[in-house]
Amino acid sequence: MKTTFQKQFVTIKGTKDGIVIHLDDQCSYASIVSELEAKIAENHSAFDEGKDVSVRVHAGNRYLTEAQQEEVKALIEHTGVIVVDEFYSNVMTIARAQEEKEREELTTYTRIVRSGQVLRVKGDLLILGDVNPGGIVEAVGDVYILGSLKGIAKAGIKGNENAVVAASVMVPSQVKIAEHLYLTESTRAERAQEVLYAEPKYACIEHQEEEIVFHALNGLAAFRRDRKNKRD
Amino acid sequence: MGEAIVITSGKGGVGKTTTSANIGTALALQGKQVCLLDTDIGLRNLDVVMGLENRIIYDLVDVLEGRCKVQQALIRDKRFECLHLLPAAQTKDKSDVTPEQMAEVVNELKPDYDYLIIDCPAGIEQGFRNAVAGADQAIVVTTPDTPAVRDADRVIGLLEQEEMPSPKLVVNRVRKASKEKGDDLLDVDDVVATLAIDLLGVVFEDEGVLRASHKGEPVATTPNTSASLAYRNIARRILGESVPLLSLTTKKSFLARVKSLFGIQA
Ligand SMILES: Nc1ncnc2c1ncn2[C@@H]1O[C@H](COP(=O)(O)OP(=O)(O)OP(=O)(O)O)[C@@H](O)[C@H]1O
Ligand SMILES: [Mg+2]
């Protein structure tokens, strides 16, 4: 094994939550890349047999761009056995932080959204009341309606395909999630007998079919958990 | 100090003028001092429905433009001493009047009456804004069909942005035997569930209404048609009496509503 007095830029630690690769945050990015290459080559045998190992990469106080994350990931996964589970950094861009904050904000509206009215929020939207035919509600995040959705609801309007539209009673004229659109033919949402779903449902994009589907609301907790895991 | 109530609907022809004439008449029947205000400038009707068109000398625009005092333009009803009408101009346009001017006239009249009933033109443009400007309260008239209800909803949304209590609802031209499937009409229940404001009254489709308008005698003055009774009940509710609504809803459909409230398929 090559010995050096130099401080190591890349250290690998086993923790009770699995393997963590720490990247020094004072050196140049190039030094990390070259040391990673060397380390992986050197320790290759250690990973040789055995099953896939998933690791987390901790970048300390360094901000890694998407491209840099991709590069680091590619280098590590080049071993064929290590899979990068997630990146973690103590820092993020202001834009991202703002986005995150807005994403987590919930706006509550306690009124009926009536014909001709448009309600648009940056985070999630909770409506305590109906969305009437001709009314439009839009959220960057999710839309939750404690009432009947008879008008138009759009979730994930900035492209978030994991957003949902939930309502106690579904008689939508349109549901849109990211770029996917669901249209109903029936337009007489005022009539009680034309309800699409009289029990609480949430609409989300089914990724296999690439279309919007409706599920019983009690599945939403699990959906949100999966979504959160996917996200971080 | 009187109360100014605007009668509005969004959609045209659903019965605003008929409702204004009859609520005004029914309130006068109860001995109240009432002034009817026609704000449908260019398409005035209220005078005709009241049978007062031949007595018009000055109109609303004459008042606003200073050609006469408001008292000179008021017309006393043929039947009721306590019922007056301020007619709209027929030769002018809705844009000849501003909301501020309207509010001024309404405020000038309010001290002399118990109720000011303002007949609003169809639409949500200038004419609507003028009619609503001086009002303390609003009554939204709709018929039980989808287009009228959508427009009523739009108007309620606009009224909710005004500083006035939640508007009250009158469902007009309800047909007693409209329960067959495939009918385009909605139930009164559907209408109320959608608009979600207090129901002030239900008026049935009644040929008597048409005949009365033709004769210039509001149906509320005739003793016992269903529409006449309905308007008189509406007036009593405006006066604060609790008059039960003519029973329309069967027990079953009420149960269905409760069920749907709890998310049970009815
Ligand atoms: N309950 C009723 N039964 C039968 N006919 C009715 C009833 N209510 C109103 N009508 C008729 O409907 C027509 C339209 O009514 P009205 O003029 O009151 O409506 P409006 O809303 O004032 O119309 P506009 O928007 O043109 O001002 C009239 O011919 C009237 O006689
Ligand atoms: Mg009219």
Side-chain angles (χ1 to χ4, degrees):
Chain A
M1 214 193 238
K2 192 166 61 177
T3 47
T4 161
F5 294 110
Q6 236 181 315
K7 181 178 185 281
Q8 298 204 3
F9 297 141
V10 177
T11 48
I12 302 175
K13 278 188 190 145
T15 72
K16 66 179 189 335
D17 297 325
I19 298 172
V20 180
I21 299 181
H22 285 271
L23 308 179
D24 184 88
D25 56 18
Q26 298 301 312
C27 66
S28 73
Y29 174 69
S31 335
I32 290 181
V33 172
S34 59
E35 189 169 324
L36 250 181
E37 279 170 338
K39 275 248 160 72
I40 299 288
E42 204 174 288
N43 292 314
H44 202 262
S45 54
F47 304 115
D48 249 1
E49 65 248 41
K51 38 191 161 53
D52 283 4
V53 202
S54 58
V55 300
R56 283 182 296 149
V57 177
H58 199 310
N61 293 331
R62 180 193 297 275
Y63 175 70
L64 287 180
T65 65
E66 297 249 326
Q68 289 171 337
Q69 287 189 19
E70 282 308 309
E71 189 178 9
V72 170
K73 189 169 146 83
L75 275 173
I76 296 173
E77 292 186 348
H78 185 66
T79 56
V81 281
I82 311 181
V83 182
V84 175
D85 226 17
E86 66 171 319
F87 275 91
Y88 183 82
S89 163
N90 296 333
V91 293
M92 61 169 88
T93 62
I94 290 176
R96 173 77 200 284
Q98 225 139 31
E99 217 172 80
E100 198 102 316
K101 184 165 159 265
E102 281 168 1
R103 194 181 70 200
E104 263 151 37
E105 251 160 40
L106 176 75
T107 308
T108 308
Y109 185 82
T110 42
R111 261 197 182 173
I112 295 177
V113 180
R114 298 190 182 273
S115 177
Q117 298 180 331
V118 182
L119 197 63
R120 171 188 278 233
V121 304
K122 289 187 174 142
D124 297 335
L125 175 60
L126 171 64
I127 295 162
L128 308 178
D130 298 342
V131 177
N132 272 355
I136 304 175
V137 294
E138 304 183 347
V140 172
D142 297 338
V143 175
Y144 309 109
I145 300 163
L146 215 59
S148 302
L149 170 57
K150 301 175 186 171
I152 298 175
K154 300 178 185 176
I157 53 172
K158 292 251 172 81
N160 178 9
E161 301 214 324
N162 292 313
V164 302
V165 171
S168 316
V169 177
M170 284 279 187
V171 211
S173 54
Q174 288 179 18
V175 171
K176 196 172 178 196
I177 298 173
E179 290 308 314
H180 296 261
L181 185 63
Y182 176 93
L183 289 173
T184 19
E185 290 308 322
S186 133
T187 54
R188 297 295 180 259
E190 287 87 351
R191 300 174 109 178
Q193 65 264 41
E194 294 194 15
V195 165
L196 179 65
Y197 297 110
E199 65 280 10
K201 292 276 183 187
Y202 72 96
C204 63
I205 295 176
E206 190 80 270
H207 284 283
Q208 254 114 46
E209 265 95 59
E210 284 287 307
E211 63 178 21
I212 292 178
V213 292
F214 293 84
H215 294 297
L217 194 66
N218 56 21
L220 185 59
F223 179 91
R224 284 175 48 133
R225 213 180 308 118
D226 290 349
R227 180 173 70 177
K228 186 161 186 307
N229 290 340
K230 253 189 278 173
R231 200 157 57 199
D232 357 278
Chain B
M1 186 63 107
E3 218 164 342
I5 306 176
V6 62
I7 315 289
T8 182
S9 69
K11 190 168 182 298
V14 300
K16 292 177 293 297
T17 301
T18 306
T19 304
S20 302
N22 282 293
I23 288 180
T25 302
L27 285 168
L29 259 169
Q30 298 271 332
K32 296 295 164 192
Q33 296 286 331
V34 180
C35 183
L36 300 171
L37 252 88
D38 190 350
T39 64
D40 201 345
I41 298 166
L43 286 171
R44 73 177 176 210
N45 274 170
L46 191 52
D47 52 323
V48 182
V49 174
M50 297 297 294
L52 298 172
E53 70 272 26
N54 294 341
R55 305 187 180 192
I56 297 177
I57 296 166
Y58 293 113
D59 59 46
L60 177 63
V61 176
D62 291 326
V63 175
L64 296 178
E65 294 182 350
R67 278 186 290 278
C68 69
K69 289 213 159 62
V70 66
Q71 277 72 21
Q72 290 174 282
L74 291 169
I75 304 167
R76 179 133 50 77
D77 185 62
K78 292 174 188 167
R79 294 144 294 243
F80 300 98
E81 188 99 10
C82 56
L83 179 60
H84 299 166
L85 168 71
L86 180 56
Q90 185 69 330
T91 55
K92 297 284 168 130
D93 196 81
K94 295 183 173 62
S95 55
D96 293 334
V97 174
T98 67
E100 292 73 31
Q101 287 178 308
M102 270 307 302
E104 217 171 285
V105 173
V106 169
N107 286 328
E108 192 180 342
L109 287 169
K110 259 170 36 174
D112 298 338
Y113 295 94
D114 296 313
Y115 290 97
L116 258 60
I117 305 294
I118 305 168
D119 184 15
C120 178
I124 53 172
E125 297 81 22
Q126 173 108 33
F128 168 78
R129 288 195 297 274
N130 288 342
V132 169
D136 304 307
Q137 278 190 50
I139 293 175
V140 173
V141 183
T142 187
T143 46
D145 59 277
T146 312
V149 170
R150 301 242 164 133
D151 288 359
D153 194 44
R154 178 90 174 93
V155 156
I156 294 167
L158 295 174
L159 290 168
E160 282 174 344
Q161 288 162 21
E162 303 284 325
E163 293 205 0
M164 56 169 88
S166 175
K168 300 276 192 288
L169 180 67
V170 169
V171 187
N172 189 24
R173 309 196 76 157
V174 174
R175 287 193 286 171
K176 279 176 183 159
S178 69
K179 286 278 169 193
E180 318 99 64
K181 290 267 171 198
D183 194 318
D184 247 10
L185 293 180
L186 306 167
D187 292 349
V188 172
D189 272 2
D190 292 333
V191 177
V192 175
T194 300
L195 299 178
I197 56 174
D198 289 346
L199 182 61
L200 186 62
V202 173
V203 183
F204 289 108
E205 175 73 28
D206 182 347
E207 220 186 280
V209 172
L210 211 83
R211 256 182 280 127
S213 304
H214 182 69
K215 279 198 287 183
E217 284 173 10
V219 75
T221 57
T222 62
N224 39 22
T225 74
S226 77
S228 154
L229 186 64
Y231 285 121
R232 288 193 309 241
N233 283 343
I234 288 170
R236 287 167 63 191
R237 287 186 202 107
I238 291 173
L239 293 172
E241 279 181 56
S242 72
V243 187
L245 288 159
L246 301 178
S247 122
L248 280 167
T249 25
T250 62
K251 278 198 178 110
K252 187 163 161 270
S253 80
F254 177 72
L255 184 66
R257 255 163 63 201
V258 173
K259 274 184 173 171
S260 75
L261 201 66
F262 289 95
I264 305 162
Q265 188 106 44

